[in-house]
Amino acid sequence: MELDKRPPGDGGEGCLVGVIRVPVKIVALIVVLPVRVVWDLLVAFGQAAARHVLRPLSVYVLQPVLRGIGRVLTVLLKLVFVWPWVGLWRYVLRPVYAHLLAPVGRALYAYLLRPLGEALAWVGRGGMRYLLAPLAKGVMWLVWAVCMTLFVWPWVGLWRYVLAPVGRGLLWVGAGFHRYVLTPVGHGLAAMGSALYRYLLRPVGIGVYRYVLVPLWQVLVWAWHVAGRIVRAVWRGVRLAGWVLVGWPAAQVYRHVLTPVGHVVRDVWRTVRATVREVRADVRRVLFGGPGGEPVRSRARTLGSTTAAGKNAPAPEISLHEQKQG
């Protein structure tokens, strides 16, 4: 007697599961299955066309034709743009240069240009040595004499005979004024400032620091501590009011409203996902045969447990946070 290996039916799913699962199955059979079948047919047709039509056509028709056209174009281009110029250079220009232009150029250089260059160089060296060099030396001496007369000697005479004596006289007057006037006045002002600091400014500063600044600093420190205590008390009151007005109501809304709504949404999502998996398994069984089962990698984990849940494992009614608090 063979064992019945069919998966047990989903029991206790409720009306909500049935209402969601039936439309999902209908949509999957009407939309998903035709689209997938058409897509598979198009893929198979494209692969067959590429394998049995396009590839042989490219290998046995297009490539030989293109290679022949390339060879014909290569020969034509060489015939038009390469071979005429190669023949012109090989049979016309190079013989003319080798047998006519080169000997004429060598003879012209040896018997005309070279002697003419040597003669011009000799004339240039003689002119440079006996004409241009003395003329340049005379011009440089004249320019030096003019520049010294206009820009150097007048200023040297002015400095030596006018500015230097006047500067030495002013320096002597300044030294006498510093020694006999500024130094005694400075010593008197220094003695007066020392006496003023010792008998007036220092006692006044000590009194102001001791009887004004120190008590004022103590008052400011005491006021700072008092203000800190007042601010801490106000902050505690604000924090308590914030918890009473915002924190506690938000916690209650999260616990008693958002958490149940999240559980409902989670159950609906699990139901839709299980329904889609069943439809996929049925379609696979109808198209390819064999038992349609859920893949191992599609198993989900429950919110309140760390182990993988099976297809029919019921989800916990409360969240993991509430289980820990309980």
Side-chain angles (χ1 to χ4, degrees), residues 133-157:
L135 182 61
K137 290 180 180 179
V139 171
M140 290 297 297
W141 183 86
L142 181 61
V143 170
W144 177 83
V146 171
C147 291
M148 293 294 290
T149 303
L150 295 178
F151 300 105
V152 177
W153 291 337
W155 301 105
V156 171

Side-chain angles (χ1 to χ4, degrees), residues 3 28 38 52 57 81 93 109 115 134 139 149 195 237 242 267 299 308 325:
L3 297 177
V38 172
H52 300 288
L57 181 63
F81 296 103
L93 296 179
Y109 173 77
V139 171
T149 303
D267 296 338
R299 295 180 181 178
Q325 289 182 352

Side-chain angles (χ1 to χ4, degrees), residues 79-158:
L79 183 63
V80 174
F81 296 103
V82 178
W83 292 339
W85 301 105
V86 171
L88 179 63
W89 167 255
R90 182 177 298 174
Y91 299 106
V92 177
L93 296 179
R94 190 168 63 180
V96 168
Y97 171 78
H99 301 287
L100 180 62
L101 296 180
V104 171
R106 287 193 293 269
L108 184 64
Y109 173 77
Y111 299 104
L112 179 62
L113 296 179
R114 184 175 178 180
L116 182 61
E118 292 177 354
L120 293 176
W122 180 82
V123 172
R125 287 194 296 268
M128 177 65 69
R129 178 178 298 177
Y130 300 105
L131 179 62
L132 295 179
L135 182 61
K137 290 180 180 179
V139 171
M140 290 297 297
W141 183 86
L142 181 61
V143 170
W144 177 83
V146 171
C147 291
M148 293 294 290
T149 303
L150 295 178
F151 300 105
V152 177
W153 291 337
W155 301 105
V156 171
L158 179 64

Side-chain angles (χ1 to χ4, degrees), residues 134-192:
L135 182 61
K137 290 180 180 179
V139 171
M140 290 297 297
W141 183 86
L142 181 61
V143 170
W144 177 83
V146 171
C147 291
M148 293 294 290
T149 303
L150 295 178
F151 300 105
V152 177
W153 291 337
W155 301 105
V156 171
L158 179 64
W159 168 260
R160 182 176 296 175
Y161 300 107
V162 178
L163 296 179
V166 172
R168 285 193 291 268
L170 293 177
L171 182 61
W172 181 80
V173 172
F177 182 74
H178 176 269
R179 178 177 296 178
Y180 299 106
V181 177
L182 295 179
T183 300
V185 172
H187 290 169
L189 292 177
M192 185 181 298

Side-chain angles (χ1 to χ4, degrees), residues 148-274:
M148 293 294 290
T149 303
L150 295 178
F151 300 105
V152 177
W153 291 337
W155 301 105
V156 171
L158 179 64
W159 168 260
R160 182 176 296 175
Y161 300 107
V162 178
L163 296 179
V166 172
R168 285 193 291 268
L170 293 177
L171 182 61
W172 181 80
V173 172
F177 182 74
H178 176 269
R179 178 177 296 178
Y180 299 106
V181 177
L182 295 179
T183 300
V185 172
H187 290 169
L189 292 177
M192 185 181 298
S194 178
L196 181 65
Y197 170 76
R198 180 177 298 177
Y199 299 107
L200 180 61
L201 295 179
R202 187 172 180 273
V204 171
I206 292 174
V208 169
Y209 174 77
R210 183 175 298 173
Y211 300 106
V212 177
L213 296 180
V214 173
L216 182 61
W217 173 256
Q218 294 176 355
V219 171
L220 290 176
V221 170
W222 176 80
W224 178 266
H225 289 296
V226 172
R229 294 181 181 178
I230 294 173
V231 169
R232 285 196 295 271
V234 171
W235 171 248
R236 293 194 189 97
V238 171
R239 187 170 61 182
L240 180 60
W243 168 251
V244 173
L245 296 178
V246 179
W248 186 79
Q252 297 301 319
V253 169
Y254 174 79
R255 180 176 298 175
H256 300 290
V257 177
L258 298 180
T259 300
V261 171
H263 292 169
V264 173
V265 172
R266 182 192 60 193
D267 296 338
V268 170
W269 169 248
R270 287 179 177 175
T271 304
V272 171
R273 185 171 59 184

